[in-house]
Structure formats: C-alpha cells, structure tokens
Amino acid sequence: MAGTFRFSFGPWNIHEGADPFGPEVRKSVTFAKKLASYKKIGFDGIQFHDDDAVPGMGDLKMSKAQIEKKAKELKKILDGEGLTPEFVAPRMWFDPHTIDGGYTNNSADCRKYAIERSKRTIDIAQALGTKNIVLWLAREGTYIRESKDPVVATERIAEAMQTMLDYNKNIRIMVESKPNEPMDHTYIPTIGHAIAMGLMTTDPKRCGCLIETAHALLANLSPSDEMGFALAHKKLWSVHLNDQNGLKFDQDLTFGAVDPRRALNQVRVLDQHNYGATGEWVGLDVKVMRTQKDNVALKHLEYSRKIFLRLLEISRAYDDKKIAEMVGERDYEELNYYILDAMLAKPVAKAAPKAAAKPAAKPAAKKAAPAKKAAPAKKAAPAKKAAPAKKAAPKAAAKPAAKKVAKKK
C-alpha cells in the first residue's frame, strides 16, 4: 500500500522572527499575501487557530452570528485561492483567562470561558467547511504538581471534549500531545494519553490525534513509533512534521534538518500504512530561522515539503524483498548499511556529473594556446648557451697578463 500526500501549514509559520531574547527582524506579511504564497510553494491546505480565521474573537465579545459571518467571508477568499482548511484550533494559551489552563483551570469562570471559546471555534470550523478541531492543550498542566489534582484535571479535559462532541455532531477532535512547554508538566504528554482521552467520552470514534515530530522528541520518544502506535489504533488523523535538536525548547526546525534518517522513518511509516487515503494531510509546523531576510523567508516551508518528497523517493526505491531477507537472517548490520547506503549514495551520484562538467571546459582553453608553451624555445636559443665561449676568451688573455707581471719583476 502507498500513502497519498497533500500538504498544509498554518499562517503562523510565516512570521517576523521575534524570539524571547530579541525583537522582530522581518517586516510583517499581510494575511492576504500569506494566502497567496501557499500554491506557489506547493501547498493546498491551510491550518487555523480560531483567531487567525476571525481576528478579535478571543474576548468573546463578538456574537456567534458575527463570528460565523466573518468565517464565511474567509471561506470565499480561501475558495478563490484554491485552498482547503484542514482544521481549526482554539488558541487559549494567550488569553488572561487561561493563565493557569483552560479546561483544567481551578477557576470555574475560567473553565467556562474555555468551553465557550471552544464552541466558537467549532462555529468557525463549520463555516469554513472542516470537521477537524485540534486541541493542543498548551496550559493544561502545572508548574508545581500540588496546584492541581491530576484525577480531577483529567476528568475535566474529558468533560470539555464531551461538551464539544455534543455541541456539534459533525466535528471530530484531534488531540495534540506535548510533555512540557509552556507548562513544566502537562496532563497529555504522549499520543497514548491523547488516544486514551477519547475513551473517556461517549463517542471515541470521533476522537483521534495529531502527532508533532518535535513533541514526540521532547518526550524522548521516536516520532515514527508514535505514528505507528496511532496508525495501529486508526487514530492518526494529522501530523505536524518538523525537526528537533535534542531535549530543549520546541524548535520547529525544517523537516529532516537534524536527522534525515529519523525523518525517513516518519515518511516510510506513513507511506507504508496508506496515510492520506481517507483525506489526512501532511501538515508542517516549522519556523523560519531568525537570520533569514524578508525575500527568502519561505524556504523553510518549501524545503520541508521537498525533503519529504525526496525521502519518499528513497523509501519507495528500497527493495522490500531484500529487506525481508535481511530481517529473516537477522543481519541487521547489513540492513543498517543498506538503508544508509541508499540515503548517502544516490544524491552523490546525481551531483557528480554536474561537478565534472564545469572543469572540463577549462582544460580545453589551456590546450588551445600552445604558443605560450613554445616560449621556452627562446630560452633554449644557442646564442645564450654560447656565451661561455666569450667568457673563455678572457682566460686566454690572462696568460699574456701573467707574462707582463713577470717582466715587471
């Protein structure tokens, strides 16, 4: 079996480059210009936070009707650009009501805010024409464990999910796990936790997950194994591909930039298990390097997609029968070399002819000018070598000189 791949990303992946230690370094890009860039670099899908789609809705002062009207206007724009909305996610980690979490907040008023905002997110998704609601439970955790009861917190997350499922029978929920950041510890750190949350609702068939490469790595887990676990449960409904350099903050690096083999294994497990056959997207969540200038600030997205497709070529070129034989013989050293050899050899073989073509023209130019090499013939002229004969003349003259000296004496 083989996967069917189409690509998406969120408008937040095009940004000005500010970080916790420095200000913005690029000009802001208008939302319209962001939308216009998608097709140019090979993307057909767009991911949204609720306030990406309807700016200003976060304080809940806009009515349900007003929010739906704004979302429908956006839908017309997306249709004009040929873009499909993949999902909508409530961005609740910025609002003052969610300083200590949304669904797990110790304040009943703050929990009510989180539920109401989740409903408005569903309204936006419905207007845009997507059934997918992503829950990245960013602040559903603690800085110190004594601040919340983990049993109660887990039950509150399940209750929130149930409320959303009851609110709209057409939606489905994709839980995105992450072990830490911004909280010190979160209640849904791995994809196993995310899938288990659906079992606490009355409709687990409408509960699945989204796996992000970096989030799995921050939990010190293999992203491809996490994907495999979710695929086995028929719960992998989206991915956020990127890369990560060790157990630190969430870096969202270009896909495959740190560990191409790890990236290959993610591509391979998706492809071999028919990912995308029922409409799943290959989502990217990658940040441009702060050093990039304005005119080259989309390369992280363009190259992440290209790297995925190149790794797909490599994976599909492997001889599965040969791999099965090595596995059967338990010759994993040979299998290890076989995988690496294909990754390393093919790009070099393609690049070699280009490198050889340039020097070929230079030697031809040198051979075309033999006259310069003929110059030594002038140096070899007998006249110069005959010079010693002239020097020999004084020696002959020296003898008479000696005689004159003798006469003086």
Side-chain angles (χ1 to χ4, degrees):
M1 300 180 76
T4 304
F5 303 116
R6 52 186 186 156
F7 299 84
S8 72
F9 69 88
W12 60 89
N13 290 136
I14 303 174
H15 59 89
E16 295 80 7
D19 64 22
F21 304 97
E24 297 174 351
V25 293
R26 289 181 292 272
K27 296 176 183 177
S28 294
V29 179
T30 64
F31 185 67
K33 191 172 181 181
K34 288 180 180 181
L35 293 183
S37 69
Y38 273 70
K39 286 285 190 177
K40 293 177 183 178
I41 55 176
F43 290 81
D44 300 305
I46 182 168
Q47 309 161 14
F48 284 109
H49 295 122
D50 51 5
D51 55 1
D52 291 324
V54 182
M57 58 76 62
D59 58 11
L60 300 185
K61 291 181 180 179
M62 296 173 67
S63 68
K64 180 178 184 294
Q66 288 173 321
I67 289 173
E68 288 176 337
K69 183 176 181 290
K70 292 287 186 181
K72 287 176 182 177
E73 291 171 357
L74 174 60
K75 179 66 165 66
K76 291 180 181 179
I77 296 172
L78 296 179
D79 290 343
E81 294 288 347
L83 295 175
T84 302
E86 183 192 358
F87 65 72
V88 184
R91 192 197 326 244
M92 291 192 293
W93 48 95
F94 271 90
D95 194 272
H97 291 90
T98 60
I99 291 172
D100 194 24
Y103 310 130
T104 64
N105 201 300
N106 288 319
S107 164
D109 287 342
C110 291
R111 293 198 301 275
K112 182 180 178 181
Y113 166 86
I115 293 295
E116 288 304 310
R117 181 156 182 177
S118 299
K119 289 179 179 179
R120 297 294 79 77
T121 298
I122 293 170
D123 296 336
I124 292 169
Q126 186 80 3
L128 291 179
T130 178
K131 62 183 179 180
N132 297 324
I133 303 297
V134 167
L135 296 183
W136 174 45
L137 304 169
R139 297 196 186 277
E140 310 306 340
T142 62
Y143 295 112
I144 60 169
R145 277 315 197 204
E146 296 83 0
S147 64
K148 294 178 184 176
D149 183 324
V151 175
V152 173
T154 303
E155 290 171 345
R156 284 175 174 168
I157 293 172
E159 288 170 8
M161 291 173 65
Q162 185 66 57
T163 300
M164 285 183 264
L165 294 171
D166 292 340
Y167 180 73
N168 187 311
K169 299 296 183 181
N170 297 319
I171 65 144
R172 62 180 189 173
I173 295 173
M174 299 187 286
V175 179
E176 181 178 1
S177 62
K178 189 180 181 184
N180 61 282
E181 195 191 28
M183 306 302 282
D184 187 42
H185 293 284
T186 67
Y187 288 119
I188 312 297
T190 72
I191 219 61
H193 289 77
I195 292 172
M197 289 308 305
L199 300 177
M200 296 181 71
T201 72
T202 60
D203 199 353
K205 289 182 180 179
R206 291 164 61 203
C207 300
C209 64
L210 179 154
I211 293 179
E212 177 162 328
T213 305
H215 295 182
L217 293 170
L218 287 171
N220 206 21
L221 297 171
S222 161
S224 57
D225 284 354
E226 285 282 89
M227 291 175 187
F229 183 86
L231 285 165
H233 286 83
K234 311 294 187 229
K235 295 296 185 182
L236 185 60
W237 297 347
S238 188
V239 294
H240 268 169
L241 300 184
N242 49 36
D243 213 341
Q244 178 75 21
N245 198 2
L247 299 175
K248 53 180 76 170
F249 60 91
D250 191 357
Q251 292 182 291
D252 292 338
L253 300 175
T254 296
F255 180 59
V258 177
D259 191 335
R261 186 174 183 178
R262 183 169 64 199
L264 171 73
N265 286 323
Q266 292 170 72
V267 172
R268 193 164 171 78
V269 74
L270 294 175
D271 189 39
Q272 289 187 324
H273 293 279
N274 213 26
Y275 182 83
T278 55
E280 299 86 359
W281 291 83
V282 176
L284 297 177
D285 192 7
V286 289
K287 292 175 184 170
V288 61
M289 294 183 195
R290 193 166 186 267
T291 48
Q292 289 298 98
K293 297 179 180 178
D294 294 80
N295 62 330
V296 287
L298 296 179
K299 288 185 176 181
H300 61 306
L301 293 159
E302 180 183 358
Y303 292 164
S304 289
R305 178 180 173 275
K306 286 183 176 181
I307 290 167
F308 181 99
L309 294 174
R310 178 69 188 105
L311 292 172
L312 182 63
E313 288 178 5
I314 293 172
S315 178
R316 288 180 174 178
Y318 284 128
D319 186 338
D320 290 334
K321 185 178 178 181
K322 187 173 182 179
I323 290 175
E325 289 173 357
M326 287 182 273
V327 170
E329 291 294 325
R330 211 175 64 210
D331 191 354
Y332 298 152
E333 285 290 355
E334 188 64 26
L335 176 58
N336 190 45
Y337 178 76
Y338 178 71
I339 296 296
L340 289 171
D341 183 54
M343 292 186 73
L344 297 172
K346 288 187 178 182
V348 173
K350 285 185 177 181
K354 292 181 182 178
K358 291 180 181 178
K362 291 180 180 178
K366 289 179 180 178
K367 288 180 182 178
K372 292 182 180 179
K373 289 190 176 181
K378 294 179 181 179
K379 293 179 182 178
K384 290 185 179 180
K385 286 191 176 180
K390 293 179 181 179
K391 289 180 181 178
K395 288 182 181 178
K399 289 180 181 180
K403 289 178 181 178
K404 286 180 182 179
V405 172
K407 287 179 180 178
K408 285 180 181 179
K409 285 181 178 179

